[in-house]
Amino acid sequence: MSVEHVRAFDTRREEGERLYLLLDPLTDHDEAGPLSRAALVQLLGEDAVMIVPREDLAHSTHACPILADLSSAADEVRRALLETSAAQAADEAARSRRYVCGWLISALDPASLALYLAGMHGMGDASGRNHFFPIHEPLRLELLAAADMAYATQRLGPVREWLVPGSHGGVVLLKGAANGEGPRSLTPIALEALDEAPRVAAVLAAWRGALRSNASGALLPRNAARDAFVQIHRAKTQSRLRDHDDIATLAINGVIRHPRLHESPEVAALIERAARGEAPLADLFSTLHDARWTYIVSGLSPASTAP
């Protein structure tokens, strides 16, 4: 991503709307830097910098997300904060957890929006069971949108637009439904996607490592988070693998080599051996040399990332 993305986003505000920056101090960050809560309060004032309360951090409010109203600042201050936050978001592109969670446009005042965002963490499924997810985290928000855009749009509600730092290194633009229309419960696939966020992050990290090792300079595709989740879902539902590491191994090889790798009879036999507990799947895969992998992939059907 680049600062141009954020500057352009600032111009999308309509009359009466505010521009916000959302930060997550639960991740590693410079506590004395220009994006720290103390620095933002000094620049913008107490009324423009809100804590987004998390029910799981009720006794650690210092670790709760920070919502800063940038539209209350002078133009030069706002531009400087946009540039600083965009630069930090770009630096965090390869991290599984981010300090910069995005930029939001909403007509709500800071206090009201902070409360609304806090309420977004609680979600119910079709059975009426409630779930808590830190949905402000960019990867989880990206996964929710990929799994069920209609529900994501409904949850954003009065957040007319949310510019999310994407796991692929660019940005993802999500839009809310101010009228509140849309599905009210999590679908099973969306619930699974949110729950699998840590494993998706691990698959993405391995994928980035593979791209770096081949010195191609290639970046992750735009739908990398979705593709990683699809591979995890397939590994869990289309094989007998139950070991966490084995599932991750199959998912990683699925995004790196071929999304339907499990359809190869030779690979399927190794997967079955791992499922029986004979050896970790990573060890079994390591017995295949590069030429053999090339042969296996050449015999598979054209790539498809559908679940």
Side-chain angles (χ1 to χ4, degrees):
M1 66 166 295
S2 67
V3 68
E4 283 73 22
H5 288 118
V6 182
R7 287 174 179 157
F9 187 67
D10 186 25
T11 67
R12 297 172 69 90
R13 280 186 291 153
E14 298 177 356
E15 185 177 355
E17 290 185 327
R18 302 171 188 244
L19 174 68
Y20 291 96
L21 172 65
L22 186 62
L23 306 167
D24 189 355
L26 200 58
T27 63
D28 293 335
H29 65 284
D30 184 357
E31 296 184 4
L35 296 181
S36 65
R37 185 177 185 278
L40 290 172
V41 168
Q42 186 174 9
L43 278 173
L44 306 174
E46 288 278 359
D47 292 342
V49 182
M50 295 286 144
I51 295 295
V52 178
R54 286 179 54 165
E55 63 180 46
D56 60 331
L57 297 174
H59 300 292
S60 303
T61 56
H62 64 280
C64 290
I66 300 166
L67 181 69
D69 179 7
L70 303 187
S71 54
S72 64
D75 288 348
E76 62 273 15
V77 173
R78 185 179 71 258
R79 285 195 292 267
L81 289 173
L82 288 175
E83 292 175 3
T84 301
S85 57
Q88 177 148 346
D91 289 343
E92 296 175 340
R95 290 174 53 176
S96 60
R97 298 284 297 277
R98 295 171 179 260
Y99 183 58
V100 177
C101 295
W103 303 264
L104 297 73
I105 292 175
S106 177
L108 292 183
D109 62 79
S112 298
L113 183 56
L115 289 177
Y116 184 84
L117 294 175
M120 283 179 60
H121 291 145
M123 290 168 275
D125 59 25
S127 70
R129 182 183 176 190
N130 291 320
H131 304 268
F132 177 90
F133 290 104
I135 198 63
H136 65 279
E137 294 176 356
L139 179 56
R140 276 201 164 92
L141 194 53
E142 189 178 357
L143 286 169
L144 177 62
D148 191 342
M149 180 61 83
Y151 181 75
T153 298
Q154 190 276 330
R155 292 301 293 169
L156 262 62
V159 179
R160 187 170 68 80
E161 294 187 341
W162 190 324
L163 191 67
V164 184
S167 57
H168 62 295
V171 294
V172 178
L173 180 63
L174 301 179
K175 299 185 178 184
N179 56 14
E181 293 182 355
R184 300 286 174 161
S185 60
L186 278 169
T187 58
I189 196 68
L191 176 59
E192 182 186 352
L194 291 171
D195 198 45
E196 287 288 358
R199 189 148 47 185
V200 169
V203 171
L204 292 173
W207 196 352
R208 293 187 191 99
L211 292 174
R212 285 194 301 268
S213 67
N214 65 22
S216 67
L219 301 176
L220 291 181
R222 181 170 183 81
N223 294 319
R226 182 204 66 185
D227 294 348
F229 168 66
V230 166
Q231 289 304 311
I232 292 168
H233 177 76
R234 282 181 179 167
K236 291 163 55 181
T237 60
Q238 298 182 20
S239 76
R240 295 197 311 112
L241 294 175
R242 293 297 176 265
D243 180 79
H244 182 282
D245 291 341
D246 286 344
I247 290 170
T249 294
L250 182 54
I252 290 166
N253 280 271
V255 296
I256 293 173
R257 301 183 189 280
H258 194 286
R260 307 200 76 85
L261 198 62
H262 61 287
E263 294 181 353
S264 159
E266 186 171 350
V267 172
L270 296 178
I271 292 172
E272 183 60 25
R273 288 179 60 189
R276 291 197 299 266
E278 292 183 21
L281 187 60
D283 291 351
L284 295 171
F285 277 2
S286 69
T287 64
L288 302 175
H289 50 73
D290 290 344
R292 191 63 191 172
W293 277 119
T294 300
Y295 174 79
I296 290 170
V297 170
S298 69
L300 294 171
S301 59
S304 169
T305 56

